[in-house]
Amino acid sequence: MTDEQFRKEQEIAVQDGYKAGKANTIRRACEWLDKNAARYVVTRPIHGCKMTGLDVSMTADFRKAMEE
């Protein structure tokens, strides 16, 4: 195997590892959202009207879960 062939195989392996890591991250994020998103949907009065939205703590909790 030449140096060039070896370098190309290493490059492909790195790209495959990156793709696998990216796919795993996306899978974990989707699983977390499926499991937890509903508890962050809140209805609160704003200027006398009831408004439904996402609680801001969702971002911090999501970040923490993805870092684990």
Side-chain angles (χ1 to χ4, degrees):
M1 176 181 300
T2 67
D3 287 342
E4 182 64 21
Q5 289 171 324
F6 182 73
R7 187 192 64 73
K8 284 183 180 180
E9 285 189 13
Q10 282 184 321
E11 187 177 305
I12 291 169
V14 168
Q15 288 174 355
D16 288 348
Y18 172 78
K19 289 176 186 175
K22 183 178 177 181
N24 188 44
T25 300
I26 292 169
R27 180 190 55 77
R28 286 182 54 223
C30 291
E31 286 175 358
W32 189 91
L33 290 169
D34 285 343
K35 182 179 176 183
N36 297 291
R39 65 183 195 167
Y40 294 96
V41 177
V42 295
T43 301
R44 295 185 176 133
I46 299 175
H47 303 293
C49 296
K50 284 189 175 183
M51 302 293 286
T52 301
L54 294 174
D55 190 283
V56 295
S57 66
M58 181 178 178
T59 303
D61 294 347
F62 180 76
R63 180 181 305 278
K64 183 178 177 183
M66 292 301 100
E67 288 174 350
E68 293 175 351

